Amino acid sequence: MPAKKRNTKKILTRAGGILLTLILLIGGVAIYFSAKWKPLLTEKIKEGVYEGSNHLYKIDFQDIHLNLVTGTVVLDSIKLTPDTSVFNQLKAIKRAPTHLFRIKLAHLNLKRVSVLKAYLNKEIIMNDIILDNPSIDMVYHKVPKRTDTVKDDRTLYQQISKSLKSIRVLNIKVIDADFDYYNGPKKLNAVKHLSINVKDVLIDSLAQFDTTRVFHAKDIAFAMADYRSLTADKMYTIKVDTVRGSLNKKTLRVVGVQLIPMYPDLAFSRKYNTQKDRYDLKFDELSFSGIDFISLNNDGNLHAKRLNIGPAKVAVFLNRQLPPASFDKGRNYPHNALKRLGIETLIDTLTLNKVDIAYTEYNPQTKELGTLRLENLSGKILNITNDSLRLSKKNHAYADLTTYVMGTGKLNVKIDFNLTAKDAAFSYVGHVSPFNLKVLNPLSRSLGLVSINTGSVKSVDFTINANERGSAGVVKFAYNDLKVNLLKEDENGVKEKKGLLSFLANTILIKNDNPTKDEPLRVANITFTRVPQASFFNLMWKSVFIGIRETVGLGIVPVKPMKEPISSKKAERIKKRAERKAEKDKDQ
């Protein structure tokens, strides 16, 4: 072999040997220090969680793997658990948090950790903390809050400054988590496929005063997809396509929300002994802005600047064949329901956009369905709240809504809710623009056996004061050329005109025009007494309807009263008889 080649080979061999020696040396040093620092790092992690949470939380893990070369730390079989004894102590002195967390996961990955800086300079710096497929329990507790003592206003940095100078994490990722929400021991909801992304967490002497950060992060975003669950009564499926939110931007966007009944309309109603509204809801989007996530987490309060709903479709069905429910529906007035809400709520502005509502009833007399359609409901509701502090300053909510009756007659209604009135007082004023009355035939023929031959609405104006007991007010109904046919059904269920009665109604009872050439506009002063089984919207509609009846000349004809509520035992007997009859008819 030539001398030059032999020298090159010797140089390469020596260089390779030196490199191998360095690798072995570095590897050995890394293994040595990893083994040496492993118990120290374990102690620091546990101490940091314990001290940082004011002794409320403890972290345990089976093992820790440290690689000094790559700056990687992996914890196996991690459990984060609250100390119930500490929580009870905090609860006793009214310092307990509203929510507690329990977290379990197989592996926690910490990437690009500067171990030397952490050890020598007391500075923790890392690129990523990754929690892959964890199990997270969030437990709500209704805890008293103390206001008569000075609370600890120290920042988190001030609390940890004796042990650490700073903590910086560029990314914290929770991937595909199972999230369960509890009210005390009772599980309220379960969510799959939850992801959370926290960006740029910084805790140091300057960042502690950075108001652009929430929980010390520049942004905390979360997302969830394909949520589905059954309601507690197993009668509906709740479905949500996606949920996305940002704590720093104070936003929450929910897309594709559906409440899907488990049975068709009549089959659904016959699962109950009394009348029960069946809902079929589909909301394309719900979006919150200005949410106070910190108050929601700390106190369990929902405060938001704005909630936008729509486009959406709302379908409600009621079977009038069944007896009414025995409870007083006054408790479901919107402002009464708000009082009963378990969470303190304040929404400055609720905006409705392109909401289509279809209210359908089954008439056992005609055995037909009649549907009232309110299309493109839009508008705003201001000051939706049950917050006692807000109510002491501003105790009225105001709604200004516009919709189209049967898709044609424009209706504008303004409602003033007294949120603190014991009798659920409210008032409303409204105006209906011109439309052809014949568009109401699909509703009036099925539910009232009345066919409208001709008739045009010029306007409807109403001003009404109401509460749980009833209503009183003024209705102005301007129309012309009103003629109707009263109907009956033959043996085959075919509707036919009641000739004589229709003639008498049109010539004697019904006034065809208002105003007339010889008479100024007739105005109806109405008084309506609500029965317990009548709902909020029934009261609103019936109050206007009574004024319309009086104006057209039907005030002397008594309104058919609602069925009286019956006992649950009697309702069960009626239901069984109806089921037996249905089976008998089916066999025949």
Side-chain angles (χ1 to χ4, degrees):
M1 183 181 293
K4 186 175 182 180
K5 287 187 177 181
R6 286 197 300 270
N7 290 336
T8 301
K9 186 178 180 180
K10 288 181 181 179
I11 292 172
L12 291 174
T13 302
R14 289 173 182 173
I18 293 170
L19 181 60
L20 180 61
T21 302
L22 286 173
I23 292 172
L24 292 173
L25 181 61
I26 293 172
V29 170
I31 292 171
Y32 170 76
F33 279 104
S34 294
K36 182 179 180 180
W37 285 353
K38 185 174 179 178
L40 179 63
L41 193 58
T42 299
E43 180 185 348
K44 287 294 182 182
I45 291 173
K46 292 186 176 183
E47 179 185 342
V49 171
Y50 185 67
E51 295 296 334
S53 66
N54 288 321
H55 305 177
L56 182 57
Y57 286 97
K58 295 179 180 179
I59 187 170
D60 290 306
F61 44 89
Q62 192 176 71
D63 200 1
I64 182 170
H65 309 281
L66 173 63
N67 189 321
L68 287 176
V69 177
T70 61
T72 301
V73 180
V74 179
L75 282 70
D76 296 333
S77 301
I78 308 101
K79 290 183 180 180
L80 180 73
T81 54
D83 189 323
T84 53
S85 62
V86 174
F87 175 76
N88 289 331
Q89 291 171 15
L90 293 172
K91 189 175 179 180
I93 61 173
K94 299 183 180 181
R95 292 291 182 227
T98 303
H99 290 97
L100 290 178
F101 292 88
R102 300 187 294 258
I103 301 176
K104 296 180 182 178
L105 70 158
H107 303 287
L108 174 65
N109 294 295
L110 313 179
K111 294 185 177 182
R112 300 295 297 272
V113 183
S114 300
V115 179
L116 289 176
K117 281 191 175 183
Y119 182 73
L120 299 175
N121 301 334
K122 295 185 177 180
E123 296 176 356
I124 295 178
I125 302 174
M126 68 183 79
N127 277 17
D128 300 290
I129 298 177
I130 300 175
L131 295 81
D132 197 353
N133 196 24
S135 170
I136 303 173
D137 294 342
M138 184 175 180
V139 186
Y140 171 80
H141 292 275
K142 189 173 181 62
V143 293
K145 295 298 180 182
R146 194 168 182 173
T147 58
D148 57 348
T149 58
V150 178
K151 67 178 183 178
D152 186 356
D153 288 325
R154 291 183 305 161
T155 64
L156 180 57
Y157 168 75
Q158 291 168 340
Q159 295 176 44
I160 68 168
S161 58
K162 292 182 180 179
S163 303
L164 294 169
K165 291 181 180 179
S166 67
I167 299 174
R168 184 158 207 166
V169 184
L170 298 184
N171 291 290
I172 302 175
K173 297 180 180 180
V174 179
I175 302 171
D176 201 24
D178 292 340
F179 178 85
D180 295 331
Y181 188 80
Y182 291 79
N183 186 344
K186 183 180 180 181
K187 183 190 288 190
L188 296 183
N189 224 324
V191 173
K192 305 288 185 183
H193 312 302
L194 173 67
S195 296
I196 302 172
N197 193 359
V198 184
K199 292 185 177 181
D200 191 14
V201 177
L202 178 60
I203 305 171
D204 65 11
S205 58
L206 295 179
Q208 64 179 326
F209 303 114
D210 188 347
T211 57
T212 66
R213 294 178 180 272
V214 175
F215 297 124
H216 313 286
K218 276 294 184 182
D219 190 28
I220 302 175
F222 56 91
M224 180 190 74
D226 300 325
Y227 172 77
R228 183 183 290 265
S229 71
L230 289 175
T231 55
D233 60 5
K234 312 297 182 185
M235 294 298 286
Y236 294 93
T237 297
I238 301 173
K239 184 176 178 294
V240 180
D241 289 342
T242 59
V243 177
R244 296 185 182 278
S246 168
L247 270 66
N248 298 62
K249 296 176 183 177
K250 299 183 177 181
T251 59
L252 176 65
R253 183 170 181 257
V254 187
V255 175
V257 181
Q258 294 185 67
L259 183 67
I260 306 169
M262 299 296 290
Y263 305 95
D265 43 22
L266 286 171
F268 182 98
S269 68
R270 288 165 182 160
K271 297 290 181 181
Y272 299 91
N273 298 331
T274 57
Q275 293 175 8
K276 182 81 170 181
D277 290 328
R278 172 189 179 272
Y279 297 94
D280 191 346
L281 312 179
K282 183 178 181 181
F283 296 88
D284 291 355
E285 183 174 340
L286 294 89
S287 59
F288 289 86
S289 60
I291 298 180
D292 188 347
F293 283 105
I294 294 177
S295 176
L296 182 63
N297 176 69
N298 293 342
D299 305 316
N301 302 333
L302 174 59
H303 289 182
K305 295 291 184 183
R306 184 178 292 272
L307 168 60
N308 297 323
I309 299 176
K313 293 185 181 299
V314 177
V316 185
F317 171 79
L318 183 64
N319 183 358
R320 287 294 184 190
Q321 186 178 30
L322 298 171
S326 58
F327 69 88
D328 186 345
K329 288 189 176 181
R331 72 183 190 185
N332 291 332
Y333 276 28
H335 38 333
N336 277 344
L338 188 61
K339 291 176 184 177
R340 299 200 320 272
L341 201 61
I343 181 173
E344 184 180 288
T345 300
L346 169 58
I347 298 174
D348 289 337
T349 304
L350 186 154
T351 302
L352 298 171
N353 178 41
K354 296 181 180 179
V355 179
D356 293 337
I357 300 174
Y359 176 77
T360 302
E361 284 189 5
Y362 174 73
N363 184 350
Q365 182 181 356
T366 62
K367 297 181 181 178
E368 290 186 359
L369 304 176
T371 301
L372 172 66
R373 293 183 291 107
L374 302 176
E375 297 183 3
N376 196 18
L377 175 65
S378 302
K380 294 181 179 180
I381 306 175
L382 307 178
N383 195 44
I384 300 174
T385 185
N386 57 12
D387 174 70
S388 57
L389 180 61
R390 179 64 171 255
L391 289 172
S392 66
K393 300 175 182 177
K394 191 176 182 180
N395 68 330
H396 283 252
Y398 302 95
D400 188 349
L401 306 172
T402 299
T403 187
Y404 291 84
V405 180
M406 305 301 281
T408 180
K410 185 178 180 180
L411 164 65
N412 174 251
V413 61
K414 295 179 172 65
I415 311 173
D416 179 350
F417 298 93
N418 187 331
L419 300 177
T420 54
K422 292 182 179 180
D423 61 355
F426 69 102
S427 62
Y428 59 104
V429 298
H431 173 77
V432 182
S433 299
F435 72 95
N436 191 325
L437 276 167
K438 291 178 71 174
V439 300
L440 298 177
N441 270 328
L443 182 65
S444 64
R445 288 173 62 90
S446 299
L447 299 184
L449 285 174
V450 175
S451 176
I452 301 171
N453 275 353
T454 60
S456 296
V457 173
K458 293 180 179 179
S459 65
V460 183
D461 293 279
F462 47 89
T463 302
I464 296 172
N465 295 312
N467 54 36
E468 286 181 330
R469 297 184 298 276
S471 62
V474 176
V475 177
K476 300 176 182 179
F477 178 39
Y479 64 94
N480 66 294
D481 196 26
L482 175 61
K483 290 183 175 63
V484 302
N485 284 329
L486 304 183
L487 306 176
K488 64 179 179 179
E489 289 189 344
D490 61 18
E491 296 177 353
N492 298 317
V494 178
K495 293 182 179 65
E496 58 182 24
K497 176 182 174 181
K498 291 181 178 179
L500 178 59
L501 290 179
S502 297
F503 172 76
L504 293 174
N506 286 309
T507 56
I508 299 176
L509 292 179
I510 293 177
K511 299 176 181 179
N512 303 112
D513 301 284
N514 185 36
T516 67
K517 293 180 181 179
D518 304 320
E519 183 183 28
L521 183 73
R522 298 186 301 277
V523 176
N525 295 294
I526 66 99
T527 300
F528 176 65
T529 301
R530 174 186 164 270
V531 294
Q533 59 268 33
S535 68
F536 173 79
F537 293 104
N538 180 277
L539 170 66
M540 289 188 68
W541 158 245
K542 279 290 180 69
S543 302
V544 177
F545 178 66
I546 286 173
I548 291 174
R549 278 172 50 86
E550 291 185 5
T551 302
V552 302
L554 295 176
I556 62 173
V557 180
V559 178
K560 185 178 180 180
M562 281 189 174
K563 293 180 180 179
E564 289 293 327
I566 60 175
S567 67
S568 58
K569 290 183 179 180
K570 187 174 181 180
E572 182 66 26
R573 290 197 299 270
I574 293 174
K575 179 183 177 183
K576 287 181 178 179
R577 283 200 301 268
E579 289 173 349
R580 287 195 296 268
K581 185 177 183 302
E583 286 295 326
K584 185 177 179 180
D585 293 343
K586 183 179 178 182
D587 293 338
Q588 292 176 351

